[in-house]
Amino acid sequence: MVCPYTWDVPGGVQQHVGDLAEALIGLGHQVSVLAPCDAGAGGDGLPDFLVPAGRAVPVPYNGSVARLAFGVRAAARVRRWIREGAFDVLHVHEPAAPSLSLLACWVAEGPIVATFHTSNPRSRAMVASAAALRTALEKISGRIAVSEAARRTLVEHLGGDAVLIPNGVAVHRYAGADPLPGWPGEGGAIGFLGRLDEPRKGLGVLLDAFALLGPERPGLRLLLAGPGDAEAAAARLPAELRSRVVPLGRVSEQDKARAYRSVDVFCAPNLGGESFGIVLTEAMSAGAPVLASDIPAFRSVLAGGAAGELFPVGRADALASRAAALLDDPARRSALSAAARRAVRAYDWETVAADVARVYETVLPPGAAAGPVTVGGEGAR
């Protein structure tokens, strides 16, 4: 598999690729993942399946800043990895991004599967680059989209279609986690997870809602998990409320699971640009009652509101009102938690990985020998 975004910075695609690799290995497959990574080949904490492809550079992409790898040196690493890998299938993620996945499509010959994650209905860059991408995308034998929004972006900007296979979640990783010490507390707690300084994640909306809730609820706290300057973010709050914002910073997988279990309400106030909503499935796996903005991706994951509450996008007043109602209604929170645990089973990685493996089977030539993926122009090994 090829991950286009740097492994050093947490993100939804990186999480997807890593979890899918582990799930496929659990099903008996041999997996190698090529990704941008600053660490050396023997870097501490890197999974055994990861092959670092060198440093990435920050590039504005899809309303965020993605760290990508491109150029002659990156292409050489891709060629060497494919040549030495003897892969039956090459699975690239986000091949439209100017990074390793696109390079792999250009240089490889053989069975290629691509997963499209991006949801961006007004991407001028994708439209402008569609012709240049076509030579690479035409090599793809099987296409997967993680959501209807991602599938629509693919169809409208690049043409072709894709089978829908959602993002997965390691349900067991979150289901048995313990709360952090002292949480959620008697006064109630609301949680947020995401990059604090990325506007589309909607933290500003949540802080404005907290400014409405805080004065009436003296014990209410806001737990923030994710990279960014929490002090700068909280500066938009009245001074007397800032001490009730508790930042965890960037968290480990274990502490992330504990953070979901530490709040009475988990809030995802995102403004858009989300094709799925992995934080929702993680929170649902932990049994956290979810309150999310009513964007299409979140509405789909939450079954139209049956597995979590929804509020109008960008409306801090509506967020505050729905959060207050949940904080005051333990029975409703318990019902949402139970509904979330049921709904999230469809996203468990055991199910999702098996669906992905079936796509691999559809692109493999009948009776194919091991290692049909080759480097273009170099012939068979």
Side-chain angles (χ1 to χ4, degrees):
M1 284 194 288
V2 185
C3 176
Y5 306 134
T6 184
W7 204 262
D8 307 290
V9 179
V13 174
Q14 297 93 315
Q15 181 80 51
H16 177 107
V17 173
D19 284 348
L20 176 56
E22 291 180 0
L24 288 170
I25 291 169
L27 292 175
H29 298 274
Q30 292 179 309
V31 181
S32 176
V33 174
L34 183 71
C37 184
D38 285 349
D44 294 338
L46 296 181
D48 292 339
F49 55 73
L50 183 70
V51 177
R55 293 191 173 193
V57 295
V59 177
Y61 184 72
N62 191 32
S64 180
V65 176
R67 288 164 175 80
L68 311 170
F70 205 76
V72 174
R73 184 174 297 179
R77 290 191 174 105
V78 171
R79 285 179 177 274
R80 182 170 63 250
W81 175 72
I82 292 174
R83 189 183 300 115
E84 296 174 354
F87 304 124
D88 296 294
V89 176
L90 177 65
H91 184 173
V92 300
H93 292 259
E94 293 287 61
S99 191
L100 298 180
S101 294
L102 178 58
L103 291 172
C105 287
W106 272 333
V107 306
E109 299 289 346
I112 301 176
V113 171
T115 293
F116 295 84
H117 299 258
T118 296
S119 170
N120 193 345
R122 293 176 295 275
S123 177
R124 297 179 186 174
M126 195 174 288
V127 171
S129 61
L133 293 172
R134 193 162 292 120
T135 56
L137 300 181
E138 285 174 350
K139 292 184 175 183
I140 295 169
S141 312
R143 299 181 178 198
I144 297 169
V146 300
S147 67
E148 179 57 36
R151 189 196 71 83
R152 191 179 309 115
T153 298
L154 166 66
V155 171
E156 293 178 356
H157 295 321
L158 302 176
D161 208 341
V163 61
L164 285 177
I165 300 179
N167 276 301
V169 61
V171 173
H172 68 278
R173 186 184 300 161
Y174 301 94
D178 294 320
L180 296 167
W183 290 84
E186 294 183 3
I190 299 173
F192 169 91
L193 186 144
R195 289 187 284 273
L196 307 186
D197 52 2
E198 187 170 334
R200 71 185 178 100
K201 299 301 180 182
L203 177 58
V205 179
L206 177 55
L207 290 168
D208 290 345
F210 190 72
L212 298 174
L213 291 165
E216 300 176 358
R217 298 169 183 270
L220 181 65
R221 291 183 292 172
L222 181 59
L223 184 66
L224 305 182
D229 189 338
E231 184 176 346
R236 69 191 291 152
L237 290 171
E240 62 272 16
L241 295 180
R242 294 172 194 167
S243 63
R244 290 199 256 156
V245 177
V246 182
L248 296 179
R250 184 175 292 167
V251 291
S252 66
E253 286 299 307
Q254 181 180 9
D255 284 343
K256 179 166 66 170
R258 298 185 71 186
Y260 288 128
R261 295 280 288 174
S262 298
V263 297
D264 297 295
V265 177
F266 175 76
C267 186
N270 305 51
L271 302 178
E274 306 293 337
S275 69
F276 181 71
I278 191 66
V279 293
L280 298 191
T281 56
E282 291 173 350
M284 292 161 69
S285 298
V290 173
L291 175 59
S293 55
D294 191 9
I295 60 177
F298 288 0
R299 192 184 318 124
S300 176
V301 170
L302 295 176
E309 293 272 4
L310 296 164
F311 70 92
V313 180
R315 287 276 305 279
D317 57 337
L319 193 166
S321 175
R322 303 284 171 85
L326 286 173
L327 290 168
D328 292 337
D329 192 346
R332 173 61 176 160
R333 297 202 308 272
S334 179
L336 284 177
S337 176
R341 289 184 186 276
R342 291 192 298 269
V344 82
R345 292 173 191 163
Y347 302 105
D348 190 86
W349 268 118
E350 289 188 10
T351 301
V352 173
D355 289 342
V356 172
R358 280 190 281 273
V359 175
Y360 296 162
E361 293 169 1
T362 68
V363 304
L364 283 170
V373 179
T374 61
V375 175
E378 297 185 1
R381 286 178 296 274

